[in-house]
Each structure stands twice: as C-alpha cells, then as structure tokens.
Amino acid sequence: MEEEKKTVRAVERALDVLLCFVSGHEWGLTEIAGLVGLHKSTVFRLLATLEDKGFVVRDAATEKYRLGLSVLELSANLSRSDDPSVVLLPEMERLRDQLNETISLYVRDRGERVRIQAVQSTQAIRRVATVGARLPLFVGASSKVLLAFADAGVRGAILAEAAWPAQLDRESFAKQLDDILRVGYATSFEEREPGAAAVAAPIFNRSGKLVAALAVSGPSNRLTPDLMHEYAPAIIESAHRMGTRLG
C-alpha cells in the first residue's frame, strides 16, 4: 500500500510540473521548482522523464522547457481554440475543395515529422493520410520544408545525424534545401513510397516563426511534377493565410 501511495505521489508531482505551463509557455528548472515547491534535483528527474516521453522539450540555448508534441498527440480528440490542427482546419478544407487532393499539416519533433491534421481527398483514388503518423525527416516534401526553413542549428544537426541514410548524399540534399528556401516550396515524387507525390509550403506565425508544413499529396500519376508546380502558388497563399491565424 505504501508503494502504491509513492507511485501516485510521483504522478501528482509530474502533473504539477506539466500544469506550470498553464500560466506560461516556457520555464527554467529553478522557476518550475519554485512553482511546484520541490527541490531542483527532484524536478530535474521529473523533467527528464517527461522529456523522454515527449511531454516537454528543453531548449538547449535558453535551458528552458516547453510543452512537447506528446501533449498534442494525447489531446488529438480535444478541440482547442489555440490548437493549429483545429484553428487551421477550415483553411485546409478550403484548399482540399480547391485542389481536390489530400491536405496534411506536419510539425517537426526532433528528427521526425508528425502529421497533426489531415483532410482527405474525395476522389476515388487518393492518398490516405493518418493523423499522428511519424515519418523521417530525410525524405518527402514536408520534411524538406521543415528542414529548409528551420534555424541553421536545427538544420545542421539533422544533416549531421549518424543515422543519415547511406544512399542519400548529404551535400546534394543540403543544396536541395537551399533551392527550396529560394523558391518557397518543396516537391517530392515517389521519394518515400512508389506511386505517391506531394508538394508542401511552410507556415509561419505572425512573429515569423516556422510552425508547420502544409502539404498536398496524391497519386503520382495524377499529381505530376508539372501540376505540383502549377499548384504551388495556391498552396503558398493558403499557408500564408493560415499563418495569419496563429499568434
């Protein structure tokens, strides 16, 4: 019984740490310890566990913590006015109706991208996008957008990953990212899987921070390279409208 109480108390403490982010989006270790009334060593261990599970992330530059994507994944069925997957849904539906292809919203989580929202095409043959899916950052239009428009430090760290695929030349990929940065969008044609194509553009909030990648995907025999370049201006315009909705 005593062990059960200890376990519950540990959960309570971890939840108290998470609840600190109700009153602020970013906190340092000392600040959190003061808010929850615990020793810094205890809070450090709690934060390490929460970080390992993706509930918080630590900014190496500022040494402050903020909420991680696991919070978003956990609340996937909870509509919130500040949730990009909810706020941007009407614009995603509008773009789907305009292009009649599957629309997806991706964010970067360390070395992966996560699909946080999707609107399926109504065509009989279509790309089916599963919300919550995690994909590598090495291939795909959205991956390239999330890397090309990321901070230089993030981009460099990913390119230096030891797990980088041997068949993918880092120098050529880096040059491709530079080209994407210049034109404002990325395309992929059967890069990750045969028969699939996609075009993506970055979404920046009103402060100019990259928050997500907006992607249009479909069968490669319909979403040809020429058509993707034709669609790019509409996707960029839609991404811009989405950004104005985000603080």
Side-chain angles (χ1 to χ4, degrees):
M1 180 66 70
E2 181 63 20
E3 184 62 33
E4 180 181 349
K5 289 182 179 179
K6 287 182 180 179
T7 303
V8 171
R9 181 57 182 151
V11 173
E12 288 176 347
R13 288 175 169 178
L15 292 174
D16 285 341
V17 169
L18 285 177
L19 288 172
C20 289
F21 296 94
V22 172
S23 56
H25 75 282
E26 203 172 52
W27 297 104
L29 174 60
T30 301
E31 294 172 319
I32 294 174
L35 288 170
V36 298
L38 295 172
H39 292 297
K40 286 200 295 183
S41 59
T42 301
V43 174
F44 179 80
R45 291 194 297 272
L46 291 169
L47 286 167
T49 301
L50 291 169
E51 184 177 16
D52 185 59
K53 294 297 183 180
F55 284 94
V56 299
V57 292
R58 179 178 175 273
D59 189 315
T62 64
E63 296 188 348
K64 291 195 173 185
Y65 295 84
R66 55 184 171 79
L67 291 176
L69 284 175
S70 288
V71 175
L72 180 60
E73 293 171 341
L74 189 64
S75 60
N77 295 318
L78 178 63
S79 295
R80 299 181 304 173
S81 61
D82 60 344
D83 185 343
S85 65
V86 175
V87 174
L88 304 182
L89 185 57
E91 181 62 32
M92 293 177 69
E93 292 174 337
R94 191 204 66 79
L95 186 61
R96 187 273 313 275
D97 294 342
Q98 179 183 355
L99 303 181
N100 205 11
E101 295 291 358
T102 296
I103 312 298
S104 297
L105 197 64
Y106 291 94
V107 296
R108 182 182 65 84
D109 183 21
R110 288 165 286 189
E112 297 177 305
R113 59 179 161 117
V114 182
R115 186 184 294 120
I116 62 170
Q117 186 58 280
V119 179
Q120 311 296 341
S121 167
T122 58
Q123 301 200 56
I125 300 176
R126 61 184 183 272
R127 285 278 295 138
V128 177
T130 305
V131 174
R134 288 180 172 269
L135 301 166
L137 277 177
F138 307 129
V139 292
S142 296
S143 292
K144 290 183 285 190
V145 161
L146 291 172
L147 282 181
F149 293 90
D151 294 339
V154 171
R155 177 171 163 174
I158 297 296
L159 288 172
E161 279 280 354
W164 190 269
Q167 71 274 16
L168 190 60
D169 182 73
R170 297 177 197 251
E171 188 174 336
S172 297
F173 190 81
K175 184 181 182 303
Q176 189 177 170
L177 295 181
D178 289 337
D179 292 338
I180 292 166
L181 195 59
R182 176 175 52 82
V183 300
Y185 67 96
T187 63
S188 63
F189 193 81
E190 300 188 337
E191 285 186 8
R192 195 172 61 83
E193 60 181 283
V199 53
I203 299 175
F204 300 96
N205 64 15
R206 291 194 296 271
S207 299
K209 179 182 178 181
L210 176 68
V211 293
L214 173 65
V216 175
S217 61
S220 57
N221 62 349
R222 186 170 68 229
L223 200 56
T224 62
D226 286 344
L227 190 58
M228 285 193 286
H229 290 302
E230 182 181 324
Y231 283 170
I235 298 167
I236 292 172
E237 181 184 349
S238 183
H240 176 72
R241 284 197 298 268
M242 289 182 178
T244 62
R245 293 172 175 259
L246 300 174

